[in-house]
Amino acid sequence: AEYMGELIEHSRDLMQHPAVTGELKVISGSSNRSLVTKICTRLGIKLCECTIKTFSDGEVFVQVQDNIRGADVYIVQSTSSPVNDHLMEVLLLIDACKRASARQITVVMPYYGYSRVDKRSKDARQPISARLIADLLTTTGAQRMLTLELRTGQIQGFFDIPLDHLQFNDVLATYISENIQKLLLPTDKLTIVAAGKRATMRAKYLAEKLQISWVVVDGRKGINEDDERRVGVVDETDLSMLYLLGKSVCVC
């Protein structure tokens, strides 16, 4: 929350000259209201009142209670499980803010759902879902995006609006370092494990930052989650072996 609050302040400073910047308003979806409450505490503002409910047939209804005319609105919503409900919420919130004459609508999406399919596979008869979500957000009225740790960097190219892709390697390194000191763990007994090729760069960065060793786990996956096959996965047995060797493991 502290980190996200600072990022919102920074991105708002970069948007336009202060003379034409509107009042800051933060709206929360239902994916993680406690996080948004902490962000507002960090910013020193009140969370915008918003009603979100579901009708008996499953339809989602949203209504912004506060006056947001001319305001810089930040909608904080992850498209986490249940992903379809949360996605529909953020689209409706964007439309509601647009029709309420908000000056600027920024979507803060800590977790970007539907990002697994970001390119065409050998079978051309499937969607590029990551691009579709980007188009939905942009077409609905989002004017700026702020997201964390996209599954792949190329998703940034799917947006025709400004997008801030943020990484929290330094925050994670600080957290791990503080816990190492708290638990009095010797660094020569620690190993950073990259659970797949996508995490290789992060594991390497953290290992160099913390000056500890690191390893990469090679992964093989089928089309479906049920078909997943991995080579060299650190399972409970492997973890036990690492602990027997005197190694504590941090998985990225």
Side-chain angles (χ1 to χ4, degrees):
E2 188 82 12
Y3 182 53
M4 293 297 295
E6 291 178 1
L7 293 173
I8 288 176
E9 284 183 332
H10 181 63
S11 66
R12 187 166 182 256
D13 290 340
L14 294 177
M15 279 195 303
Q16 290 203 25
H17 190 277
V20 292
T21 299
E23 182 183 2
L24 175 61
K25 295 282 188 178
V26 177
I27 297 175
S28 172
S30 61
S31 64
N32 198 334
R33 191 175 178 86
S34 60
L35 170 65
V36 187
T37 301
K38 292 177 182 178
I39 291 174
C40 289
T41 301
R42 166 65 179 80
L43 294 171
I45 62 174
K46 182 182 177 182
L47 178 62
C48 196
E49 292 292 332
C50 180
T51 299
I52 301 176
K53 63 182 181 180
T54 305
F55 293 116
S56 58
D57 62 352
E59 292 182 10
V60 177
F61 171 82
V62 304
Q63 183 177 10
V64 180
Q65 305 291 347
D66 291 4
N67 179 16
I68 57 173
R69 181 179 295 274
D72 292 334
V73 177
Y74 285 76
I75 302 172
V76 185
Q77 173 84 321
S78 286
T79 47
S80 52
S81 180
V83 59
N84 295 328
D85 291 346
H86 289 160
L87 175 61
M88 199 65 211
E89 278 183 24
V90 72
L91 293 176
L92 292 174
L93 285 170
I94 293 170
D95 189 68
C97 292
K98 181 175 66 174
R99 297 178 187 281
S101 301
R103 193 192 73 86
Q104 177 90 13
I105 302 173
T106 302
V107 176
V108 181
M109 191 171 286
Y111 175 76
Y112 186 89
Y114 282 106
S115 61
R116 283 183 174 83
V117 184
D118 53 16
K119 61 182 179 295
R120 292 181 66 180
S121 65
K122 295 180 181 178
D123 183 2
R125 294 181 296 276
Q126 69 178 37
I128 303 178
S129 56
R131 175 57 190 262
L132 175 61
I133 300 305
D135 289 344
L136 285 172
L137 292 167
T138 305
T139 303
T140 305
Q143 297 166 280
R144 192 180 187 95
M145 283 289 299
L146 193 156
T147 187
L148 286 170
E149 297 293 345
L150 289 171
R151 186 177 177 86
T152 57
Q154 70 190 44
I155 294 176
Q156 299 176 70
F158 295 160
F159 287 88
D160 297 325
I161 58 175
L163 182 143
D164 295 314
H165 178 213
L166 309 170
Q167 297 178 323
F168 54 86
N169 288 338
D170 289 333
V171 177
L172 185 58
T174 301
Y175 174 81
I176 295 174
S177 178
E178 290 175 351
N179 279 273
I180 289 174
Q181 296 174 9
K182 188 184 301 182
L183 299 174
L184 302 178
L185 296 173
T187 55
D188 61 338
K189 300 293 184 182
L190 296 171
T191 300
I192 298 289
V193 179
K197 294 179 181 178
R198 294 180 187 273
T200 301
M201 295 304 295
R202 180 186 297 171
K204 181 180 179 181
Y205 177 86
L206 291 174
E208 292 177 349
K209 189 86 171 178
L210 300 170
Q211 297 184 341
I212 60 179
S213 60
W214 65 287
V215 296
V216 180
V217 176
D218 184 31
R220 308 298 164 100
K221 183 181 291 187
I223 296 176
N224 302 316
E225 292 289 342
D226 295 338
D227 297 333
E228 183 174 3
R229 298 290 183 271
R230 288 189 177 274
V231 178
V233 169
V234 180
D235 56 18
E236 293 181 359
T237 304
D238 293 327
L239 283 174
S240 299
M241 292 176 65
L242 285 168
Y243 277 116
L244 287 173
L245 291 171
K247 292 285 188 180
S248 298
V249 181
C250 173
V251 180
C252 295

